[in-house]
Amino acid sequence: MAAWTAKDIPDQTDRTFVVTGANSGLGAETARALAGAGARVVLACRDVDKGKEVAADLGDNAQVRRLDLADLTSVREFAADLADSHETVDVLINNAGVMAVPLRRTADGFEMQIGTNHLGHFALTALLLDRISDRVVTVSSTMHRIGKIDLDDLNWERRRYDRWLAYGQSKLANLLFAYELQRRLTAHGSTVRSLAAHPGYSSTNLQYRSESLQGKVVEFVTPIIGQPARTGALPTLYAATAPGVEAAGFYGPGGPFELRGTPKQVRSNGRSHDETVARELWELSERLCGTEMLRP
């Protein structure tokens, strides 16, 4: 793949994108690039004020709507509000996330990382899927490689909590979800495509919220080796807009160790392709979220 940049995004006029977590970092850069290509962009943000600051620079095609992925009531309200507007969504970008935070619970009692990064996006996708016409892009991480899905204790109620393993579990869940979503879309004869992306090592505010000793180390090295957020957003933008992308494709930076660089198709680990775990995680997610999607 030749070096692909935001300048290569095809014209997105008359297309609508929902970007979660678009008030800062990768989400904000994703929204800026899409709006620059002519798209209508819904900035789905927990912090509406910060979202409005981003949207102010994007023109009339940007709108901000409140979405707190750590609260399923908020997810349902966001989806209902979008339905009331009768707006079709061409592409949903499941971007928002938290990383390596101390043990906390969402409004629904889920461990914060699996609750925000996976379950919130699972519920959102389920509630919006009948309005989506083109693609669902779910943002994962190279840290999926340290993850393991514990279906008996997904929310860390019995295990000793480890913030990094919890993050890895949530990012592995993102990939299992993206691949299983494509299998089910195909089985249902849908033309909607599910893809995944990861930003490599990107300098965003995500690295400054882990509240740990390891987090302090990450804070120190990130400005040195991390790529700018606008570059980190490119794999997501490629997955969301490039013609000819593969269904269930996974896209990340093309540089050494996938840490930085322009997008290319990359591989995820074997655990992410375990169809039995993916199916069981899907069914558990439906029960936890109170939603159903693409049942067999």
Side-chain angles (χ1 to χ4, degrees):
M1 181 188 300
W4 190 93
T5 72
K7 294 180 181 179
D8 296 307
I9 297 174
D11 180 28
Q12 300 297 308
T13 301
D14 295 328
R15 285 167 58 81
T16 299
F17 292 72
V18 172
V19 183
T20 68
N23 57 282
S24 64
L26 296 168
E29 294 299 335
T30 299
R32 289 189 182 101
L34 291 170
R40 293 186 295 268
V41 185
V42 178
L43 288 76
C45 308
R46 182 175 60 84
D47 191 327
V48 172
D49 290 337
K50 287 186 178 180
K52 288 180 178 178
E53 291 176 8
V54 175
D57 297 327
L58 304 186
D60 294 338
N61 277 347
Q63 58 177 282
V64 180
R65 297 190 182 184
R66 186 178 184 278
L67 171 65
D68 183 355
L69 289 161
D71 184 346
L72 292 179
T73 297
S74 176
V75 175
R76 294 185 185 98
E77 289 174 348
F78 175 88
D81 184 51
L82 200 64
D84 288 344
S85 71
H86 302 291
E87 190 162 12
T88 298
V89 177
D90 292 279
V91 180
L92 168 63
I93 299 179
N94 291 322
N95 162 82
V98 293
M99 183 179 77
V101 296
L103 179 58
R104 296 194 180 108
R105 300 285 170 190
T106 70
D108 304 279
F110 308 142
E111 184 273 317
M112 184 62 71
Q113 296 187 84
I114 197 72
T116 302
N117 299 353
H118 168 62
L119 292 170
H121 281 127
F122 182 94
L124 179 67
T125 304
L127 293 167
L128 294 185
L129 192 57
D130 64 352
R131 308 191 67 78
I132 297 171
S133 64
D134 187 9
R135 308 179 197 186
V136 177
V137 179
T138 301
V139 179
S140 182
S141 166
T142 56
M143 291 292 283
H144 79 272
R145 297 189 177 100
I146 71 167
K148 183 178 180 181
I149 303 297
D150 189 331
L151 293 164
D152 294 323
D153 191 22
L154 191 70
N155 285 299
W156 298 83
E157 294 168 323
R158 294 184 295 277
R159 290 178 286 169
R160 181 177 179 180
Y161 181 71
D162 183 302
R163 67 183 73 204
W164 287 103
L165 294 181
Y167 180 66
Q169 176 182 245
S170 73
K171 293 289 101 179
L172 177 57
N174 287 150
L175 285 170
L176 287 161
F177 166 61
Y179 298 154
E180 179 68 8
L181 176 58
Q182 183 57 59
R183 285 189 287 268
R184 293 183 181 231
L185 287 166
T186 300
H188 280 255
S190 174
T191 60
V192 175
R193 285 171 287 178
S194 172
L195 305 101
H198 81 80
Y201 200 131
S202 299
S203 183
T204 71
N205 60 3
L206 190 66
Q207 286 92 353
Y208 299 89
R209 295 179 177 172
S210 66
E211 304 173 37
S212 67
L213 178 60
Q214 299 97 323
K216 294 297 181 184
V217 175
V218 171
E219 288 179 28
F220 177 76
V221 302
T222 292
I224 300 171
I225 66 174
Q227 62 182 350
R230 64 179 178 276
T231 307
L234 290 177
T236 299
L237 289 163
Y238 184 86
T241 66
V245 291
E246 292 186 14
F250 184 31
Y251 297 89
F257 307 106
E258 300 173 22
L259 292 177
R260 56 193 302 136
T262 53
K264 71 172 184 178
Q265 189 163 6
V266 297
R267 295 181 179 180
S268 57
N269 69 0
R271 286 177 179 162
S272 69
H273 294 284
D274 188 322
E275 294 187 22
T276 299
V277 172
R279 183 178 63 254
E280 292 176 352
L281 176 63
W282 184 286
E283 293 168 355
L284 176 58
S285 301
E286 286 187 326
R287 292 196 299 273
L288 291 173
C289 295
T291 58
E292 290 187 356
M293 174 169 42
L294 298 174
R295 302 289 290 180

